Amino acid sequence: MIKRLLSFEWKQFSRSSYFKKGIAIKILLAFAVLYFGGMALLLGGSLFFILKKTIPETDPMTTVNSFLFFWFIFDFMLRYFMQQLPVMNVKPLMIIPVKRNTVIYYLLGKTSVSFFNILPLFIVVPFTIVLLVQGYPVIPVLAWLIGFVAITGSINFINFLVNKNNVVFYVVLALVATFGVLEYYSIFKISEPMGYAFNYMYAHPYLVVVPIVALVALFNATFHFIKKGFYLDDAISKKVKEVSTTDLSWLNRFGAVAPFLKNDIKLIQRNVRPRQVMMMSFMFLFYGLVFYTQDTYREMPALLAFASMFITGGFLMTFGQYVPSWDSEYYKLLMSQNIPYKTYLESKWYLMVVAVLFSFILSTPYIYFGWDIFGMIAAGAVFNIGLNSFLTLFGGALNRVPIELNVKAKAFSNTNGFNPTQLLIGLPKFLLPMLIFYVPYKLINFNAGLIALALVGVLGIVFRPYIFNKIEQVYQKGKYKTIAAFSEKQ
């Protein structure tokens, strides 16, 4: 039956209109896997000798065990923000004689062979082989390896429960935050007893049964959690909610674009995915703290120009890149109305501009780092409005992947609506401002770089009608291809 389920998924993928785009994404992911896998193998094979050279007075195994707690925390955080949970259309399977347990085992099997579970093996397996070659006892080393793999698998199922159950999410969040604060202020270093525990398990290999039992328990907990809601009635029932209305009449002053602005605001208010992306976009406001607080970056102004794009352009780069996919569920209706395409595009542009201006206002505390830094943020805001906003709209003309508005998934990792073309369109948004700033900065001075960056944005605003006409032509040319692509659900 598992073989047949795999066959169903392959047929669904290969027969769809987005097959070529899916192949492109998977090729990019394959290259990423090869790169990171190769780096992990290199690290795993050389880790023993690096530790032996840098910390000769301590056994490399002991050193590794003392840092395993931080590795597992990093692993969990990376999974939470990046790992895409397995999805499958199970409704058709519920009305045919297929055992629920089989489908659930298949889903859990998919998440067990995740890249995030395999990558650590590229580090610990070579490290284990080196230990054995160096004469370490076989049974303790293998027990340590099994324990590491079991804890990695346990984190996988914890991540699954955290994403699906609010109670588990808040409990885990409270534990991580508590131990993080205690560790940071040296009140209680949880990393030390964790290191002792692994050293003790290495000295007493029979204790490997503890992480194995934890893995089995978490697997069963995840299995029963999925099974509890695995019923046809639960899958097809609609949750009835009281609809609240918002008075958006004040938007009428924007004229013809007002109905579209109202529609976008309601879309963000009422749907999971756009609300998720909008909240994530405000995290970009703190991006400058990574660069402006480090003297190393202060000596590389081109990187500061790179950071300034993100501070005010979070909404533009997250929400904006999915135009017009946000409207994919009712795109046919929009295109059947007697509405100029330019008006539709202008509404999206105004929304991004307001978001950039609002982010700029919220960024005023960066004055603390100096007026030169705040001036760069201001120049970045003008550049985002005058050029990056148009690049974003142009990229949308090539984006024909629909979005399911109420699919709750990680905003960082959800590839629903993703198009590899966005990667190519996104490069100028990051690299161009660095180049425009750096050349005048190097030839003249810092202020010349800021003026050049802002001037490009001002020119974009001045030539906005001409740019809009060109972008509209691209949208009009691919209009019916976009409608056809949005009609097919992934």
Side-chain angles (χ1 to χ4, degrees):
M1 191 62 209
I2 299 297
K3 182 179 179 181
R4 184 165 294 181
L5 291 174
L6 287 170
S7 174
F8 288 158
E9 288 214 45
W10 170 251
K11 289 176 181 177
Q12 180 185 14
F13 172 67
S14 61
R15 293 174 178 175
S16 62
S17 64
Y18 55 87
F19 175 67
K20 292 181 180 179
K21 295 174 183 176
I23 287 291
I25 293 173
K26 292 189 182 300
I27 290 174
L28 289 174
L29 292 176
F31 279 117
V33 168
L34 290 174
Y35 173 77
F36 288 110
M39 295 297 292
L41 282 172
L42 182 63
L43 175 62
S46 58
L47 183 60
F48 177 89
F49 304 102
I50 294 173
L51 295 176
K52 194 73 173 176
K53 184 177 181 179
T54 54
I55 316 176
E57 67 277 6
T58 307
D59 184 5
M61 173 63 83
T62 303
T63 304
V64 168
N65 286 341
S66 64
F67 285 98
L68 281 182
F69 170 76
F70 299 105
W71 168 263
F72 289 133
I73 290 295
F74 170 76
D75 185 17
F76 173 73
M77 298 298 292
L78 188 66
R79 288 173 187 271
Y80 180 76
F81 287 107
M82 298 296 294
Q83 185 177 8
Q84 185 69 27
L85 297 179
V87 293
M88 183 177 179
N89 187 11
V90 297
K91 291 181 183 179
L93 300 176
M94 291 179 174
I95 58 175
I96 59 177
V98 178
K99 292 184 178 179
R100 286 182 297 160
N101 289 5
T102 302
V103 179
I104 297 173
Y105 283 135
Y106 174 73
L107 286 172
L108 294 178
K110 283 181 65 177
T111 188
S112 297
V113 295
S114 166
F115 169 73
F116 294 91
N117 290 332
I118 296 174
L119 182 63
L121 297 180
F122 283 83
I123 300 176
V124 296
V125 171
F127 178 70
T128 302
I129 293 173
V130 172
L131 290 176
L132 295 175
V133 172
Q134 294 295 318
Y136 282 69
V138 176
I139 294 179
V141 170
L142 292 180
W144 178 87
L145 174 62
I146 294 171
F148 182 94
V149 173
I151 293 178
T152 300
S154 300
I155 293 173
N156 176 66
F157 293 118
I158 290 174
N159 180 55
F160 193 100
L161 293 171
V162 163
N163 279 272
K164 299 296 183 180
N165 190 304
N166 288 333
V167 174
V168 178
F169 170 79
Y170 289 116
V171 169
V172 172
L173 178 64
L175 289 174
V176 171
T178 301
F179 286 127
V181 171
L182 295 176
E183 181 84 24
Y184 181 80
Y185 289 103
S186 300
I187 299 173
F188 174 70
K189 290 185 173 293
I190 186 66
S191 57
E192 293 180 358
M194 285 288 291
Y196 296 147
F198 268 92
N199 288 329
Y200 198 75
M201 185 179 70
Y202 173 75
H204 303 83
Y206 61 86
L207 290 177
V208 73
V209 71
V210 176
I212 292 176
V213 169
L215 174 62
V216 172
L218 285 166
F219 178 87
N220 287 330
T222 307
F223 176 86
H224 290 295
F225 175 80
I226 297 174
K227 189 174 182 179
K228 187 169 64 174
F230 201 87
Y231 293 95
L232 185 61
D233 291 344
D234 184 67
I236 65 175
S237 61
K238 299 287 185 181
K239 291 184 179 180
V240 178
K241 296 192 296 184
E242 184 178 345
V243 178
S244 58
T245 58
T246 306
D247 183 17
L248 299 175
S249 58
W250 56 276
L251 289 172
N252 292 335
R253 68 188 68 181
F254 290 96
V257 301
F260 296 103
L261 291 173
K262 293 178 183 179
N263 187 61
D264 285 330
I265 292 174
K266 291 175 182 177
L267 179 140
I268 294 171
Q269 287 179 333
R270 298 174 180 177
N271 297 282
V272 173
R273 180 80 189 280
R275 194 164 60 242
Q276 230 177 24
V277 171
M278 187 197 69
M279 289 188 294
M280 188 194 75
S281 68
F282 287 105
M283 295 176 61
F284 285 83
L285 283 168
F286 303 97
Y287 201 82
L289 297 177
V290 178
F291 289 86
Y292 303 150
T293 57
Q294 304 294 326
D295 293 335
T296 304
Y297 295 123
R298 294 291 291 267
E299 297 171 359
M300 296 185 288
L303 286 179
L304 299 185
F306 172 83
S308 69
M309 295 299 107
F310 284 90
I311 292 173
T312 58
F315 185 84
L316 180 148
M317 295 177 187
T318 53
F319 186 91
Q321 70 172 333
Y322 292 118
V323 173
S325 291
W326 293 120
D327 304 313
S328 59
E329 295 189 359
Y330 46 87
Y331 199 71
K332 280 184 180 179
L333 175 63
L334 284 176
M335 295 299 103
S336 66
Q337 307 299 308
N338 187 22
I339 301 170
Y341 223 132
K342 187 177 179 180
T343 305
Y344 170 78
L345 295 174
E346 283 182 334
S347 70
K348 305 298 181 184
W349 186 78
Y350 279 120
L351 193 66
M352 289 188 282
V353 168
V354 170
V356 170
L357 294 175
F358 185 65
S359 298
F360 175 67
I361 294 171
L362 293 179
S363 69
T364 49
Y366 280 110
I367 294 175
Y368 172 81
F369 295 102
W371 285 102
D372 55 338
I373 294 296
F374 189 68
M376 181 168 283
I377 295 173
V382 176
F383 187 88
N384 279 327
I385 293 173
L387 188 63
N388 276 347
S389 59
F390 299 120
L391 288 174
T392 301
L393 287 177
F394 176 77
L398 308 177
N399 183 18
R400 301 190 179 105
V401 183
I403 285 181
E404 295 181 35
L405 295 175
N406 280 308
V407 173
K408 189 175 183 180
K410 292 288 162 283
F412 284 106
S413 63
N414 192 346
T415 57
N416 179 231
F418 177 80
N419 188 325
T421 307
Q422 293 169 3
L423 293 176
L424 299 177
I425 296 296
L427 289 177
K429 298 179 192 177
F430 312 134
L431 301 180
L432 195 57
M434 295 174 64
L435 180 63
I436 292 173
F437 169 82
Y438 185 74
V439 173
Y441 160 75
K442 201 67 178 176
L443 296 177
I444 307 176
N445 55 31
F446 183 88
N447 290 332
L450 294 185
I451 293 172
L453 200 61
L455 184 61
V456 171
V458 170
L459 289 174
I461 296 173
V462 171
F463 291 100
R464 181 173 70 93
Y466 174 79
I467 297 173
F468 258 118
N469 288 334
K470 292 298 182 182
I471 294 176
E472 182 187 10
Q473 290 174 13
V474 178
Y475 272 86
Q476 289 283 11
K477 187 176 180 180
K479 175 179 178 179
Y480 295 104
K481 290 183 180 179
T482 304
I483 292 174
F486 284 169
S487 298
E488 180 173 352
K489 300 297 181 182
Q490 297 188 39

